[in-house]
Amino acid sequence: MPPSNPNKPHSFMETGLKGWSFEGIEDSGEYSVPRYKFKHNGPTLWLWGQIPYQLDRRFNLEERKQIFNAIFQFRELTCINFHERVYPYRDYIYIHPGESCFSDVGRLGEQQIVSLGKGCLNTSSVIHQLMHVIGFYHEHERPDRDHYVTVLKDNIDVDHVEDFEKRPFKMPYDRLPYDYGSVMHLGNTAYSANNLPTLKVRQRGAFIGRRSKHAYFSDLDLKKIKLLYACDSHYFKPQFQQRHPLLPLEA
Ligand SMILES: [Zn+2]
């Protein structure tokens, strides 16, 4: 049963999202939306998987194609919809060609920057950054990761030590198995200071990291997105889905 009063807090136990609560309407503006918040320092989600984006004009045609292809993969395979910010939505992502590849996890509120440097302007890396945007951490940061990988601290570049820290709280998607093949799993020598491995698999024969820049979501990634956003539940209202066409590719 959907809650009778949409402003009344309710739990998501039914949908499997135990630990999430409903914060209520933020403002009365036309473009404001309720927020779902995780109780244990987790990220805020985007309501109904709708994420307005603005794209920096400095991306060239080929780079835009890679970004749109990533957005298209989300649209085709998940209930997440990145759509151009044609209305003044308060919360949105601004995708710009920064020095590095970077995104915060979840929805911060107001404008949040997604940086796509030269090294990550391929569809697979864009998907990785957009997964952070929708609320995903790296797979090797899971609280139970020590069963699956060994972190070789001595080989990690000092600037990236925190990329290997264990997440101190669980996410709903941690109920699904650890996934060596996730688009959110870094490779063996990621952020290495000396070209030696920074991550070692503990299961014989397991392969980590994205196989190539053509590797997109794993099957488990898709299941985890579905779980996090309760895509199949009656709470999920994809009311904006397909409302805005994918941007034409302008030079
Ligand atoms: Zn990342």
Side-chain angles (χ1 to χ4, degrees), residues 128-129 132 138:
H128 177 98
Q129 296 305 331
H132 283 314
H138 290 138

Side-chain angles (χ1 to χ4, degrees), residues 101-103 128-129 132 136-138 140-141 163 183-184 186 191 210:
C101 308
F102 169 82
S103 168
H128 177 98
Q129 296 305 331
H132 283 314
F136 279 83
Y137 294 88
H138 290 138
H140 63 271
E141 292 169 5
D163 288 304
V183 71
M184 299 314 285
L186 295 184
Y191 302 127
R210 284 159 279 160

Side-chain angles (χ1 to χ4, degrees), residues 104-118:
D104 283 296
V105 175
R107 173 175 157 193
L108 298 192
E110 306 194 346
Q111 186 197 72
Q112 79 187 62
I113 302 285
V114 176
S115 170
L116 298 179
K118 286 281 173 218

Side-chain angles (χ1 to χ4, degrees), residues 160-176:
H160 289 281
V161 173
E162 64 180 33
D163 288 304
F164 294 84
E165 271 165 17
K166 230 186 297 182
R167 173 160 37 86
F169 54 89
K170 277 190 170 183
M171 289 294 289
Y173 46 74
D174 291 339
R175 285 195 285 134
L176 290 174

Side-chain angles (χ1 to χ4, degrees), residues 73-193:
Q73 298 300 322
F74 275 95
R75 283 199 183 194
E76 286 294 289
L77 300 170
T78 76
C79 63
I80 304 297
N81 183 30
F82 290 89
H83 58 85
E84 199 201 357
R85 185 178 179 253
V86 289
Y87 299 109
Y89 294 102
R90 197 195 71 173
D91 299 348
Y92 66 101
I93 58 169
Y94 187 81
I95 305 175
H96 89 134
E99 290 286 297
S100 59
C101 308
F102 169 82
S103 168
D104 283 296
V105 175
R107 173 175 157 193
L108 298 192
E110 306 194 346
Q111 186 197 72
Q112 79 187 62
I113 302 285
V114 176
S115 170
L116 298 179
K118 286 281 173 218
C120 55
L121 279 159
N122 60 74
T123 303
S124 177
S125 298
V126 179
I127 288 176
H128 177 98
Q129 296 305 331
L130 296 181
M131 284 287 278
H132 283 314
V133 171
I134 68 172
F136 279 83
Y137 294 88
H138 290 138
E139 188 70 356
H140 63 271
E141 292 169 5
R142 267 171 69 129
D144 60 352
R145 65 103 184 270
D146 292 338
H147 298 298
Y148 305 95
V149 287
T150 306
V151 175
L152 303 163
K153 288 204 173 89
D154 294 343
N155 299 336
I156 300 171
D157 183 311
V158 283
D159 292 336
H160 289 281
V161 173
E162 64 180 33
D163 288 304
F164 294 84
E165 271 165 17
K166 230 186 297 182
R167 173 160 37 86
F169 54 89
K170 277 190 170 183
M171 289 294 289
Y173 46 74
D174 291 339
R175 285 195 285 134
L176 290 174
Y178 191 91
D179 184 12
Y180 288 114
S182 172
V183 71
M184 299 314 285
H185 208 310
L186 295 184
N188 305 63
T189 54
Y191 302 127
S192 179

